[in-house]
């Protein structure tokens, strides 16, 4: 299983200048390669290399840097094509889609650039790297990270690493090949209901309330609005300092929730059942004041965290159809919109069961997950005569 590890570089002043100049040089070259690719109808990588490799080398890029620049551009067009095909950029003729399809892709000056083992080497004991730049090879560039990240990097690093610059700091995002644990046969399933008021509610009793996170987001929105109104240099500096703070806080919260759910499932030898919620933003119609709350809901990130942590622990995960999970009684199976008396209260109109709405939904999800797992194990081959 592939995961990424972030480590922070601690370069000297001259090393930082060389790293910054390198990112700007390779991304400027990528812009030029993108124009060539666009004018030639986005050819295959090998053909694109024939038109651009020599010019990139003459601009001072190393052999591997030139190769990675060309590959980065080609991959960007591949991603664009996939997004257009999937409808992520709107319908044919929409303003956003036309804008994306009628001009070359451009790259930010500080966009990430990939490095392989030929132009980046790691010294784990000394916690330094040797890295190629336009100013020559930089040696003994120090890096740091959490103890778990450094241990994973030392034991499982394999493949490329991306150099990025963020708010004046430099990071390496390294790819690691972590062995997956063997998936065991679950004794049952833990159903997990995802929501906004309660971020996650499990059928075993765990509940991660979203009230604190909601208040934090409101404070951040209010503070950003106040700073943006001032339009002073000091306010702009504060906004830059606080950029991505909310994103980091939400990411950390989702990591904690995912780890708690996976640990509980592993302890009880259970599997995890989740709702398939992708595309919910396109399906749901909301009033304008509610749209910010929905679009800031990081359910996909939480689901991805649960999946990758479960794979590392050998916990089976299954996704089920979320239809009517909040309207169905977990005791008698009766489905009725009126069963959901309020956001928090579930009252069955058939058997009279009263329960917490999210807890009821999580039990339905657990039952559907177990049924889907059992159906997957059953043989569908017709008996031979």
């Amino acid at each position: 299983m592939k995961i990424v590890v972030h480590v922070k570089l601690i370069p000297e002043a001259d090393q930082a200048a060389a790293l910054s100049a390198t990112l700007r040089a390779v991304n400027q070259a990528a812009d030029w390669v993108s124009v060539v690719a666009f004018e030639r109808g986005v050819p295959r990588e090998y053909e694109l290399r024939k038109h651009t490799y020599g010019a990139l080398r003459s601009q001072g890029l190393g052999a591997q840097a030139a190769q990675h620049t060309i590959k980065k551009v080609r991959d960007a067009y591949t991603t664009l094509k996939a997004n257009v095909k999937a409808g992520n950029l709107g319908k044919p003729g929409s303003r956003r889609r036309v804008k994306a399809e009628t001009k070359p892709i451009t790259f930010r000056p500080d966009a990430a650039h990939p490095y392989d083992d030929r132009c980046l080497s790691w010294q784990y004991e000394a916690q330094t790297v040797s890295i190629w730049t336009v100013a020559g090879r930089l040696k003994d560039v120090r890096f740091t990270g959490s103890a778990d990240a450094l241990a994973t990097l030392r034991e499982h690093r394999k493949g490329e690493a991306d150099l990025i610059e963020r708010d004046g700091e430099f990071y390496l995002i390294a790819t690691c090949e972590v062995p997956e644990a063997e998936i065991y046969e679950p004794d049952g399933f833990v159903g997990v209901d995802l929501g906004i008021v309660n971020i996650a509610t499990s059928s075993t009793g765990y509940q991660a309330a979203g009230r604190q996170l909601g208040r934090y987001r409101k404070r951040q929105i209010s503070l950003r609005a106040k700073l943006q109104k001032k339009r002073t240099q000091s306010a702009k500096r504060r906004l830059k300092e606080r950029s991505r703070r909310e994103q980091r806080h939400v990411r950390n919260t989702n990591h904690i929730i995912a780890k708690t759910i996976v640990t509980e499932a592993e302890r009880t030898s259970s599997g995890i059942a989740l709702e398939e919620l992708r595309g919910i933003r396109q399906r749901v119609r909301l009033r304008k004041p509610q749209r910010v709350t929905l679009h800031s809901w990081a359910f996909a990130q939480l689901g991805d965290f649960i999946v990758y942590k479960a794979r590392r622990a050998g916990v089976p995960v299954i996704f089920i159809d979320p239809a009517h999970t909040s309207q169905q009684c977990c005791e008698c199976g009766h489905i009725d919109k009126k069963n959901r008396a309020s956001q928090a209260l579930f009252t069955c109109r058939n058997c009279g069961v009263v329960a917490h709405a999210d807890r009821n939904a999580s039990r339905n999800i657990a039952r559907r997950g177990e049924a889907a797992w059992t159906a997957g194990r059953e043989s569908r081959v017709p008996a031979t005569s």
Side-chain angles (χ1 to χ4, degrees):
M1 177 179 65
K2 289 186 178 181
I3 65 171
V4 294
V5 171
H6 292 65
V7 295
K8 181 180 180 180
L9 296 181
I10 313 175
E12 303 294 337
D14 56 337
Q15 293 175 337
L19 291 172
S20 182
T22 299
L23 282 179
R24 278 149 183 76
V26 295
N27 285 304
Q28 185 178 2
D31 285 340
W32 175 76
V33 174
S34 178
V35 172
V36 174
F38 184 78
E39 291 175 349
R40 294 183 175 273
V42 192
R44 293 179 180 273
E45 183 182 337
Y46 179 76
E47 184 181 349
L48 182 60
R49 189 179 297 127
K50 290 193 298 183
H51 297 295
T52 57
Y53 179 77
L56 293 178
R57 294 286 284 132
S58 65
Q59 294 174 17
L61 296 189
Q64 290 302 111
Q67 299 277 17
H68 284 303
T69 299
I70 297 169
K71 186 176 185 298
K72 179 170 74 171
V73 173
R74 190 62 186 83
D75 290 345
Y77 277 101
T78 302
T79 302
L80 174 62
K81 183 179 179 181
N83 283 327
V84 169
K85 185 176 181 181
N88 297 333
L89 299 178
K91 298 178 180 179
S94 66
R95 184 177 179 181
R96 185 182 177 193
R97 181 164 173 173
V98 170
K99 184 178 179 181
E101 292 179 321
T102 55
K103 66 177 184 178
I105 292 176
T106 58
F107 296 85
R108 290 178 289 104
D110 58 349
H113 184 74
Y115 281 79
D116 60 17
D117 289 341
R118 294 185 181 182
C119 44
L120 173 68
S121 59
W122 301 79
Q123 293 79 46
Y124 301 113
E125 297 302 326
Q127 281 191 212
T128 60
V129 295
S130 173
I131 186 170
W132 173 88
T133 68
V134 291
R137 189 92 176 189
L138 296 183
K139 296 183 179 180
D140 300 327
V141 181
R142 294 179 298 152
F143 69 86
T144 186
S146 66
D148 290 341
L150 295 178
T152 303
L153 185 72
R154 185 182 301 108
E155 296 172 9
H156 304 296
R157 190 200 66 80
K158 185 177 181 181
E160 297 179 351
D162 287 346
L163 173 67
I164 64 171
E165 182 181 0
R166 183 182 296 159
D167 300 332
E169 305 286 352
F170 294 93
Y171 299 87
L172 282 172
I173 305 176
T175 304
C176 297
E177 285 276 1
V178 179
E180 295 184 26
E182 184 178 355
I183 295 179
Y184 55 77
E185 184 66 28
D187 293 336
F189 272 82
V190 176
V192 181
D193 179 60
L194 305 180
I196 296 175
V197 175
N198 294 307
I199 301 173
T201 304
S202 74
S203 56
T204 57
Y206 171 70
Q207 187 175 75
R211 186 178 183 182
Q212 184 177 1
L213 184 59
R215 287 178 173 177
Y216 176 83
R217 278 184 168 140
K218 287 181 180 179
R219 287 198 305 270
Q220 295 301 313
I221 292 172
S222 177
L223 180 58
R224 282 197 300 269
K226 290 179 181 179
L227 291 173
Q228 287 166 354
K229 284 182 180 179
K230 290 184 179 296
R231 298 185 178 181
T232 62
Q233 290 297 325
S234 176
K236 291 178 181 178
R237 185 170 62 252
R238 289 289 304 278
L239 281 169
K240 187 175 182 181
E241 290 173 355
R242 301 184 67 85
S243 65
R244 289 184 289 274
R245 182 172 293 189
E246 180 182 338
Q247 182 183 3
R248 292 193 297 269
H249 181 76
V250 173
R251 186 179 184 88
N252 181 65
T253 301
N254 282 338
H255 268 299
I256 294 172
I257 296 171
K259 186 174 182 179
T260 303
I261 292 171
V262 172
T263 301
E264 177 66 15
E266 185 181 14
R267 185 184 66 82
T268 58
S269 299
S270 303
I272 298 175
L274 297 170
E275 298 171 289
E276 179 54 73
L277 295 176
R278 298 189 187 278
I280 191 172
R281 289 187 175 92
Q282 288 74 31
R283 298 195 303 267
V284 175
R285 300 288 182 181
L286 294 174
R287 294 183 295 110
K288 192 171 183 179
Q290 297 175 313
R291 292 174 192 169
V292 174
T293 304
L294 177 68
H295 287 278
S296 60
W297 180 29
F299 65 89
Q301 185 186 78
L302 176 57
D304 291 340
F305 286 172
I306 292 174
V307 168
Y308 102 80
K309 291 178 188 294
R311 288 175 64 186
R312 292 192 67 176
V315 178
V317 178
I318 195 164
F319 286 85
I320 59 97
D321 183 3
H324 308 302
T325 52
S326 62
Q327 301 171 5
Q328 182 179 13
C329 177
C330 62
E331 295 294 337
C332 68
H334 177 67
I335 298 175
D336 192 339
K337 286 184 179 181
K338 295 179 181 179
N339 285 349
R340 189 74 180 261
S342 65
Q343 189 282 322
L345 182 64
F346 181 92
T347 305
C348 182
R349 301 283 173 162
N350 183 50
C351 66
V353 165
V354 178
H356 190 281
D358 292 338
R359 187 66 48 76
N360 175 80
S362 67
R363 293 179 64 183
N364 288 328
I365 293 168
R367 186 176 292 111
R368 292 188 189 186
E370 188 169 0
W373 178 267
T374 303
R377 288 184 298 151
E378 293 177 353
S379 174
R380 299 300 182 185
V381 180
T384 55
S385 58

